[in-house]
Amino acid sequence: MHLIIALVMGGIIGWLAGMVMRDQGGIIWNIIVGCIGSIIGRLLFGAFSGNGHLTQNPFDVKTLAVAFLGAVILLAIYNLIRRGSVR
């Protein structure tokens, strides 16, 4: 059940980050961006906060914000490498 929730939330977060960064991708791309962005966000949050612990609730505002910021950072890096500019 947790895997399904992670995939759905990853798809939503990836879709929202794609809307912000003007990146057109399909549902699989959005899920990949959202899930990897969540990992990047958690690593960055852990580096800045010192402990890196977020709540286990996937619907917590802090968890969603960190995942969204990680997905936006991932898309910015992707755009920089692929197109040479961060749109």
Side-chain angles (χ1 to χ4, degrees):
M1 187 66 175
H2 293 288
L3 178 64
I4 294 170
I5 292 173
L7 293 176
V8 169
M9 294 307 295
I12 293 170
I13 294 295
W15 175 72
L16 290 173
M19 296 294 285
V20 169
M21 296 299 293
R22 296 184 194 135
D23 184 56
Q24 300 296 326
I27 187 148
I28 302 297
W29 176 248
N30 289 338
I31 291 172
I32 291 170
V33 167
C35 291
I36 294 174
S38 176
I39 294 168
I40 290 171
R42 181 170 276 221
L43 289 173
L44 290 175
F45 179 76
F48 289 125
S49 70
N51 59 6
H53 294 293
L54 297 173
T55 62
Q56 295 300 323
N57 183 6
F59 301 108
D60 183 42
V61 175
K62 188 189 292 186
T63 303
L64 294 174
V66 166
F68 175 73
L69 289 175
V72 168
I73 290 170
L74 176 65
L75 284 177
I77 292 170
Y78 174 76
N79 285 338
L80 186 63
I81 292 171
R82 185 160 186 243
R83 297 183 183 105
S85 67
V86 177
R87 289 186 164 184

